[in-house]
Amino acid sequence: MAPKSLFYTLFSSLTVALAASVPQTDYEVIVVGGGPAGLSALSGLSRVRRKTALFDSQEYRNAATRNMHDVIGNDGTVPSEFRGLAREQISRYDTATFIDKRVNTIESVSDEASNTSYFRAQDADGNAYTARKVVLGTGLVDIIPDVPGLQEAWANGVYWCPWCDGYEHRDQPFGILGALPDVVGSVLEVYTLNTDIIAFVNGTQTPDQEAELAKKYPNWEAQLEAYNVRLENETIAFFERIQDGSQVKDRNGTRQIDIFRVHFTNGSSVDRNAFITNYPSEQRSDLPKQLGLTMLGNKIDATTNPGMRTSVPGVFAIGDCNSDNSTNVPHAMFSGKKAAVFAHVEMAKEESNAAIGKRDDDLVKEVEKRMGNDMEKIYNRARGL
């Protein structure tokens, strides 16, 4: 009987040793980023009472945008008002915490003694916080050329998303800003909104760039001609705002009438009412690099694994910073909610495994107690007592 008890004890002890317990942390989840993606993640986690801290550096890609659009129930809402209302509503959940500070560092911490790992974040003031999971909604930064007047016009008549801002500039003289290889793609996005289009390619119409465009659209010249798109290859000197569309609108207020004058280095100029851009972007934060996350181009890989999971277990990426290549508010909210669901279920499984491990631990203690009694009986029997 004793050998059987001994075998069970050793086996059960090994099982318990391999089972990870739930780490004790300040929060269950840390969300980095206070835009629609991060707010949605915090909301989803709060709805299932997961203790979560959202860190908000108060830097937003759409900060300068006049109004949000294509957001059901919030069409035309000012972005800051949307964020404010969201924070007010989420604050009603007692497991939600807002910390308006930048997160400077995040590191994974392993506890070999308990076979667990967690994350430690440090804010700009040097305060440290720990959590079991991390959700990055850190966003992107648009790399805007250093052309006078362009930065000031950004998101106010000059935009990157036709679904977000195009309708307010419909049927107006329109411009496309960016390199030649991206022109046809933009035309296909906006031609139902604008038909008077000039593509300002800023000196990039060269044989090499034409060949690059032809790889994607072999009949690009015929396509541009069919849509009556004129190519302007002169170098842009500066942009001049003639009229502010936030102040000048049509009778029902659904059309913003900006006017810009594009000045070229040769002294000529042309007027347009609005522009779509094809400028590159980059990660706003270096946290993905610190965590060693796999990237797809300049985006965090969150498409190889399901549930907005990244290449590092326990880290999720949502909103513009991830690799699913959809950059708008509804997408941001969807990705935040999806990460919240997967993070919650992932933690629930960990807690279930830990509970089973604890039950086995209690059973082992009982077996060890019984084994001790058995060994004593065997010893006494051998001595003839």
Side-chain angles (χ1 to χ4, degrees), residues 11-29:
F11 178 79
S12 298
S13 298
L14 179 61
T15 301
V16 172
L18 293 176
S21 61
V22 175
Q24 300 302 303
T25 54
D26 300 324
Y27 298 95
E28 291 176 284
V29 184

Side-chain angles (χ1 to χ4, degrees), residues 61-67 150-160 165:
R61 191 181 187 189
N62 70 347
T65 302
R66 290 168 179 160
N67 308 94
L150 183 56
Q151 180 69 61
E152 294 80 359
W154 187 250
N156 291 276
V158 179
Y159 58 86
W160 68 90
D165 298 288

Side-chain angles (χ1 to χ4, degrees), residues 95-131:
T95 58
T97 299
F98 288 94
I99 302 174
D100 290 331
K101 295 181 181 180
R102 176 190 299 276
V103 173
N104 280 355
T105 63
I106 298 180
E107 61 179 343
S108 177
V109 180
S110 297
D111 184 351
E112 295 182 1
S114 59
N115 194 31
T116 63
S117 63
Y118 58 93
F119 297 92
R120 181 187 294 118
Q122 188 174 74
D123 67 24
D125 295 331
N127 301 309
Y129 312 82
T130 57

Side-chain angles (χ1 to χ4, degrees), residues 44-300:
L45 290 161
S46 299
R47 290 290 299 171
V48 288
R49 299 208 297 185
R50 290 293 183 182
K51 188 178 181 183
T52 305
L54 182 146
F55 288 81
D56 188 353
S57 67
Q58 300 184 314
E59 299 169 293
Y60 315 103
R61 191 181 187 189
N62 70 347
T65 302
R66 290 168 179 160
N67 308 94
M68 293 165 39
H69 295 288
D70 200 20
V71 184
I72 301 301
N74 282 281
D75 195 65
T77 300
V78 176
S80 60
E81 294 177 359
F82 174 85
R83 292 190 299 269
L85 180 58
R87 288 177 66 126
E88 178 185 334
Q89 293 174 344
I90 297 170
S91 294
R92 299 169 189 167
Y93 297 99
D94 56 9
T95 58
T97 299
F98 288 94
I99 302 174
D100 290 331
K101 295 181 181 180
R102 176 190 299 276
V103 173
N104 280 355
T105 63
I106 298 180
E107 61 179 343
S108 177
V109 180
S110 297
D111 184 351
E112 295 182 1
S114 59
N115 194 31
T116 63
S117 63
Y118 58 93
F119 297 92
R120 181 187 294 118
Q122 188 174 74
D123 67 24
D125 295 331
N127 301 309
Y129 312 82
T130 57
R132 293 165 58 188
K133 308 293 177 185
V134 169
V135 179
L136 296 179
T138 43
L140 298 174
V141 175
D142 295 286
I143 303 173
I144 303 171
D146 187 20
V147 177
L150 183 56
Q151 180 69 61
E152 294 80 359
W154 187 250
N156 291 276
V158 179
Y159 58 86
W160 68 90
C161 171
W163 288 270
C164 305
D165 298 288
Y167 185 79
E168 286 63 44
H169 301 282
R170 64 195 182 278
D171 301 322
Q172 298 176 7
F174 192 72
I176 297 173
L177 300 175
L180 179 68
D182 298 317
V183 167
V184 175
S186 290
V187 171
L188 296 178
E189 288 183 345
V190 304
Y191 81 92
T192 57
L193 296 168
N194 305 92
T195 55
D196 177 0
I197 302 174
I198 300 176
F200 298 88
V201 296
N202 204 34
T204 63
Q205 187 176 3
T206 64
D208 287 346
Q209 293 289 285
E210 289 180 350
E212 189 68 25
L213 176 55
K215 292 178 183 178
K216 295 188 288 185
Y217 302 99
N219 299 317
W220 65 270
E221 291 177 293
Q223 287 177 293
L224 294 183
E225 184 178 356
Y227 290 115
N228 195 32
V229 177
R230 176 164 70 89
L231 288 176
E232 176 55 75
N233 199 37
E234 289 294 334
T235 301
I236 298 173
F238 65 96
F239 290 82
E240 178 186 4
R241 180 182 287 279
I242 305 299
Q243 184 168 283
D244 187 347
S246 67
Q247 304 298 319
V248 183
K249 303 179 182 181
D250 66 0
R251 183 176 300 178
N252 60 17
T254 65
R255 185 182 277 108
Q256 300 170 358
I257 309 174
D258 295 275
I259 301 177
F260 298 94
R261 184 158 295 153
V262 184
H263 294 267
F264 302 104
T265 54
N266 66 1
S268 63
S269 65
V270 63
D271 289 357
R272 297 279 94 179
N273 290 102
F275 304 86
I276 190 172
T277 65
N278 288 300
Y279 298 139
S281 59
E282 62 185 5
Q283 292 286 322
R284 180 179 294 279
S285 170
D286 68 347
L287 294 177
K289 183 177 181 180
Q290 291 182 29
L291 288 163
L293 304 183
T294 297
M295 308 294 288
L296 292 178
N298 68 335
K299 305 286 187 70
I300 303 170

Side-chain angles (χ1 to χ4, degrees), residues 32 136-140 283-284 288 295 298-302 316-324 327 331:
V32 186
L136 296 179
T138 43
L140 298 174
Q283 292 286 322
R284 180 179 294 279
M295 308 294 288
N298 68 335
K299 305 286 187 70
I300 303 170
D301 180 6
F316 301 76
I318 58 177
D320 290 3
C321 71
N322 78 11
S323 60
D324 60 3
T327 56
H331 156 262

